[in-house]
Amino acid sequence: DLAISVPLNFEIPAGNSASVPLTLTNPQVAEIEGIDITLTFDPSKLTAIDAILTGGVLENQNYSIQTNTGTSGQVTMAISANASLFSGEGVLCYVNFQAVGNIGDVSSLTFANTQINEIDAAVQNGSVKIVQSTYDISEIGRASCRERV
């Protein structure tokens, strides 16, 4: 069956933004005419910026995406074919989120009203955890390099 998923455990460094992939599973190789997705999250921990096709399987496939981030705690996407239909699987799009919560905070990513070709799609919900930034300059202090002969 057609299904859409987000990562079970995605991490975003505190104060930064990151692109969360939405992945399409299409074992019957169905042609994709349109996809409607509503993804909910905790607005005290994340802010949705936008959603893009760039880097996914629909990039350069004559599809367009419309994104609505106007409702707190949700992002709505409408993906539609403009010409020939895609029938594969892989990353559909990326939702760009800004981490606005604290280190250790976790927000569920939950699908609602998700349809492919106007039929309810199977979904796999996930989560985003806010983590400490990877680079902490204060930790670099006594590093040295020596060449061994």
Side-chain angles (χ1 to χ4, degrees), residues 65-143:
I65 185 168
Q66 265 131 66
T67 308
N68 182 341
T69 58
T71 301
S72 180
Q74 78 177 33
V75 56
T76 303
M77 295 150 275
I79 301 170
S80 56
N82 298 320
S84 59
L85 302 179
F86 177 79
S87 60
E89 55 186 14
V91 174
L92 277 178
C93 64
Y94 291 90
V95 178
N96 295 313
F97 284 104
Q98 176 78 32
V100 295
N102 299 311
I103 293 170
D105 283 352
V106 176
S107 172
S108 296
L109 296 178
T110 306
F111 288 100
N113 303 323
T114 301
Q115 295 189 330
I116 301 173
N117 298 340
E118 300 184 351
I119 299 168
D120 289 341
V123 296
Q124 176 189 295
N125 299 320
S127 67
V128 170
K129 181 177 184 178
I130 299 174
V131 297
Q132 185 168 349
S133 294
T134 308
Y135 304 102
D136 185 352
I137 295 176
S138 66
E139 295 294 321
I140 303 170
R142 296 180 221 146

